[in-house]
Amino acid sequence: MVTKIIVQNSAYGLLRCICKTSTNRCITSRKIAPSLQGRTDIHSQKRYYTVVNGSLSELSPLVRSYVEDKAQLCEPDKVHICDGSEAENKRLVDTLVKSKMLQPLPKYENCWLALTDPRDVARMESKTYIVTDDKRTTTPTPMEGVDGKLAKWLAPEEYAEKFQSRFPGCMKGRTMYVIPFSMGPVGSPLSKIGIELTDSAYVVASMRIMTRIGKDVLESLGEQTFIKGLHSVGRPLPLSEELVNHWPCNPDKVMVAHIPRDNEICSFGSGYGGNSLLGKKCFALRLGSILGQREGWLAEHMLILGITGPDGVKKYIAAAFPSACGKTNLAMMTPSLPGFKVECVGDDIAWMRFDSKGQLRAINPEAGFFGVAPGTSMQTNPIAMKTIQSNTIFTNVAKTSDGGVYWEGIDEDQVSPNVTITSWKNEENWQPGDPKNLAAHANSRFCTPAKQCPIMDPAWEDSAGVPISAIIFGGRRPEGIPLIYEAFTWQHGVFVGASMRSEATAAAEHKKKVVMHDPFAMRPFFGYNFGDYIKHWLSLGTNPSLTMPKIFHVNWFRKNSEGKFMWPGFGENVRILQWVLERVDNKDVARETAIGLVPKDDAVNTEGLGDIDMKELVTTTSEFLTKECDTLEKYFKEQVNTDLPDEMWKELSDLRRRASDM
Ligand code: OXD
Ligand code: MN
């Protein structure tokens, strides 16, 4: 018999009832009208869950009430509180293998392959929202008639509706896993803790690689608040329709919502990493950027590397490139020049803050790499290839008949002769040749522990972070943009970041080969108004007690008139980093041009590279730059409109003037 009804007021006025029976807890919940408060006859069904791992009593009151609240809403059969142990992981992997979501890859040690429903292969930017009371907090007001592309705002009422039509009962028949996770080393003052609730064991196994999870995180959290993450694949049991590829997802109902006011993320319908591993893009970048603005630091889509030159001096560089533009390759670079050593701190996200001496310091909030597989090889990234030989989950790559992996661009000589290949779409005896029928999906991934990477920097888990000497922006620009240039000032550097453009990639649901605006490589990841984001960056540069790193822009992807890449890239990029380091030391190796400071003739070491047209590589034309200014002006006007800080308009008109004076 129902004995008690409580009406709870949760995010944005969703009213929910939680009722108790004399013997057990009823977890049926639904949106109810305020007028129903106190009534005991609104439930017809009752559901109960069992806690199968850990105990609710080990949770702090705040965590416990979050878990209980969401369990009441989502109605799982079981609740599993993750301890992060090996034994737990083994049981989860066994479950995943039984349900055919993972296949073993016996050629390697403890490696697994997941093949998704082909409708769930990338981040869903069109279904990713930030929920705030005031639209302008989230996104600039675009020019009339223009569709805003800088963060997708959702009104609280609309969110409440979307939420209510998705989450109640969404975990029926499934297990709700409770993942306590730390972004950054457990206990570091720069780290932050989240609790992700998910009905996907694949997500748990992947979060265990990408973040630090388990008991010590709960201990470190104590009674404090945390970032809340709720994730469901959106396929309660019994299934109403058969799964495709044994991969539960609900593509028509995907919603990835961020609610900054409540420090909460609610993601529904997708199991793909960028949408489901909530520590990564959702927390570390979108909510992270908001926390950074509030608390005076920066959450950026940047790799962090340490580079030691022949003089033995080590410096750290942070670099922002759009998704799938070679961040992982640069972060793990094997330098071609003797005497140089690169060590990796992170390949995707940097949390950066000025210390009490005014030095910018960065941590990598992640503990693993979720790298794009195609194109990764012993030639392009031998370090990544070594890293992924064990304890790795591959998603949407092809499989060889001897239990190995295969993708476009992998070293063919690593693939044993006489093996057959099964494509990511499960096509047996797959044959190369049809560009429309790839072996591996273009956004297929490896998810691998950072600590296995042979060149992790000794300071990669240092809780103080590493000191950053230079920031590099970059993109895929087939034309016009020099291989390397340096910004004149911090303010000009912020303009360079704001002006970033790059060819689209497969990391989200875009068509390839269009040059898209991707300011600061953050376009899909801004948590708040891009105009305010620029202001935040500018404000740091006006604080005289801070030492600002120099800002650079690189373009490894320039093509000649025959459509061939003009620069070899990969390990040869150290030659450009060498010039960057010289500039950090204020060496006289640069000359002024309209776009910025470029290497003086012969300042970049091209010895042994053969036929490299360095002059052309650092050249741009008045015509190109003027066109670029027109494109930027249109973009800023249409997208950022009155929110663009005056400093950016000034930088644009200065660039236009310099271009016309060329
Ligand atoms: C990523 C991305 O997955 O940027 O890192 O899309
Ligand atoms: Mn990324």
Side-chain angles (χ1 to χ4, degrees), residues 123 272 280-281 301 322-324 327 348 370 445 507 525:
R123 283 185 286 99
Y272 169 77
K280 195 173 180 60
K281 304 300 185 183
H301 192 203
S323 307
K327 282 216 301 296
D348 195 40
F370 184 62
R445 301 282 177 147
F525 310 120

Side-chain angles (χ1 to χ4, degrees), residues 135-274:
K135 185 170 183 180
R136 194 138 177 219
T137 314
T138 295
T139 187
T141 314
M143 218 165 88
E144 228 181 288
V146 170
D147 185 22
K149 296 262 189 288
L150 288 158
K152 230 175 156 52
W153 177 74
L154 190 65
E157 308 73 47
E158 249 185 281
Y159 164 67
E161 247 170 55
K162 281 189 192 290
F163 184 94
Q164 271 318 123
S165 63
R166 284 166 174 77
F167 283 98
C170 66
M171 296 187 186
K172 273 184 191 161
R174 297 192 180 274
T175 302
M176 175 196 266
Y177 298 94
V178 179
I179 316 173
F181 66 97
S182 175
M183 300 310 290
V186 179
S188 156
L190 297 185
S191 300
K192 297 205 178 278
I193 286 176
I195 305 286
E196 176 164 353
L197 311 177
T198 177
D199 53 8
S200 163
Y202 166 88
V203 166
V204 182
S206 306
M207 282 292 282
R208 187 168 184 272
I209 295 171
M210 294 305 298
T211 70
R212 290 99 173 155
I213 77 166
K215 274 198 155 75
D216 48 348
V217 177
L218 282 180
E219 266 158 39
S220 170
L221 177 66
E223 307 289 311
Q224 298 168 79
T225 55
F226 51 90
I227 299 289
K228 292 172 263 176
L230 175 63
H231 168 254
S232 172
V233 291
R235 297 300 297 269
L237 299 174
L239 292 170
S240 52
E241 244 174 75
E242 232 183 279
L243 298 181
V244 178
N245 238 354
H246 312 282
W247 179 266
C249 63
N250 193 339
D252 296 336
K253 293 202 115 181
V254 169
M255 170 180 87
V256 184
H258 305 70
I259 309 97
R261 194 190 73 173
D262 296 340
N263 284 332
E264 187 161 15
I265 303 149
C266 292
S267 170
F268 188 90
S270 166
Y272 169 77

Side-chain angles (χ1 to χ4, degrees), residues 296-591:
W297 53 279
L298 298 165
E300 301 299 334
H301 192 203
M302 290 182 182
L303 66 91
I304 310 162
L305 62 81
I307 174 163
T308 312
D311 56 3
V313 177
K314 180 169 198 173
K315 292 207 165 68
Y316 290 93
I317 295 174
F321 303 117
S323 307
C325 276
K327 282 216 301 296
T328 307
N329 291 345
L330 186 61
M332 297 181 190
M333 185 218 276
T334 307
S336 65
L337 292 179
F340 281 90
K341 182 159 96 175
V342 165
E343 286 163 296
C344 176
V345 176
D347 80 326
D348 195 40
I349 298 174
W351 281 0
M352 303 193 288
R353 189 187 282 263
F354 288 90
D355 66 15
S356 56
K357 298 200 181 90
Q359 167 67 52
L360 185 62
R361 305 191 80 92
I363 64 162
N364 168 14
E366 302 191 280
F369 306 117
F370 184 62
V372 175
T376 310
S377 70
M378 289 306 280
Q379 293 263 306
T380 60
N381 193 340
I383 302 296
M385 291 303 283
K386 286 179 193 148
T387 308
I388 61 182
Q389 298 299 311
S390 57
N391 308 313
T392 299
I393 299 175
F394 295 89
T395 302
N396 288 341
V397 303
K399 185 178 157 180
T400 54
S401 50
D402 61 347
V405 291
Y406 182 85
W407 51 71
E408 279 66 24
I410 202 171
D411 319 76
E412 296 293 334
D413 62 356
Q414 300 274 307
V415 182
S416 323
N418 306 323
V419 295
T420 56
I421 293 168
T422 302
S423 78
W424 78 280
K425 285 191 184 150
N426 259 323
E427 181 187 333
E428 283 177 24
N429 203 11
W430 172 89
Q431 298 295 329
D434 178 359
K436 290 215 180 82
N437 187 27
L438 299 175
H441 187 275
N443 190 36
S444 55
R445 301 282 177 147
F446 51 78
C447 177
T448 194
K451 60 174 188 271
Q452 289 181 189
C453 172
I455 59 157
M456 280 320 273
D457 191 86
W460 85 278
E461 298 200 273
D462 189 333
S463 57
V466 296
I468 297 295
S469 299
I471 291 175
I472 302 180
F473 295 120
R476 267 176 200 270
R477 297 300 304 266
E479 276 184 84
I481 299 292
L483 171 61
I484 172 81
Y485 67 91
E486 178 189 330
F488 298 120
T489 59
W490 178 259
Q491 177 172 304
H492 179 226
V494 174
F495 171 77
V496 171
S499 311
M500 276 170 69
R501 298 174 65 210
S502 189
E503 266 181 359
T505 72
E509 75 275 40
H510 303 297
K511 292 207 181 73
K512 265 194 132 173
K513 300 287 174 219
V514 200
V515 175
M516 294 173 62
H517 292 271
D518 194 350
F520 292 82
M522 282 286 282
R523 185 195 47 76
F525 310 120
F526 288 121
Y528 65 102
N529 186 314
F530 172 51
D532 294 332
Y533 170 98
I534 299 177
K535 281 178 204 141
H536 181 43
W537 269 72
L538 288 172
S539 71
L540 299 170
T542 58
N543 183 341
S545 60
L546 306 181
T547 311
M548 305 319 285
K550 281 188 192 284
I551 297 180
F552 299 83
H553 187 282
V554 298
N555 174 23
W556 314 133
F557 301 94
R558 190 149 169 183
K559 290 182 175 166
N560 63 15
S561 52
E562 286 152 31
K564 295 221 169 82
F565 287 117
M566 295 173 71
W567 177 250
F570 304 107
E572 305 297 354
N573 291 337
V574 69
R575 297 167 190 268
I576 302 304
L577 296 190
Q578 181 180 28
W579 184 80
V580 165
L581 294 181
E582 286 170 4
R583 288 301 301 148
V584 166
D585 288 341
N586 289 317
K587 293 217 172 105
D588 181 19
V589 288
R591 65 185 167 85

